[in-house]
Amino acid sequence: MLELVKASLRGADDEDDALLLQLIDSASRECAQYIYGGVPDYDLAGAAKNPVHVPELVNGIVILVQADYEDDHARRDEYVAVARKLWWPYRNDLSI
């Protein structure tokens, strides 16, 4: 996941790895909150429930990491809207 994120960002290098890993964790938690209504205990729910292991959800996570990495607060809402459109079909309350 880290390499995918770095490939999508301009100017990210190895010195940014710790920050990017934090942003990936934050974005995956935001995704889980949106699709599951909370962040599950992946030890109990299974790793497959972790959004970073669901290819269709990864693009939205990458978008949020990009928004936070660029630290552009004015555009973050736009990035979140795009990510949520990608995540929408996977929401638990939609029974898909």
Side-chain angles (χ1 to χ4, degrees), residues 28 82 88:
S28 65
V82 171
W88 177 259

Side-chain angles (χ1 to χ4, degrees), residues 38-82:
V39 180
D41 180 343
Y42 297 120
D43 291 333
L44 297 175
K49 287 277 192 180
N50 189 329
V52 298
H53 298 298
V54 182
E56 295 82 3
L57 300 175
V58 168
N59 286 337
I61 293 169
V62 171
I63 288 168
L64 287 190
V65 170
Q66 182 177 358
D68 291 334
Y69 181 78
E70 292 176 356
D71 202 25
D72 185 349
H73 300 288
R75 295 202 56 205
R76 190 177 193 283
D77 289 343
E78 295 172 22
Y79 283 81
V80 170
V82 171

Side-chain angles (χ1 to χ4, degrees), residues 4-25:
L4 176 64
V5 167
K6 286 171 74 172
S8 72
L9 298 173
R10 295 185 181 138
D13 56 32
D14 293 343
E15 293 177 6
D16 295 321
D17 285 1
L19 171 62
L20 292 174
L21 288 170
Q22 287 180 322
L23 295 177
I24 290 167
D25 182 61

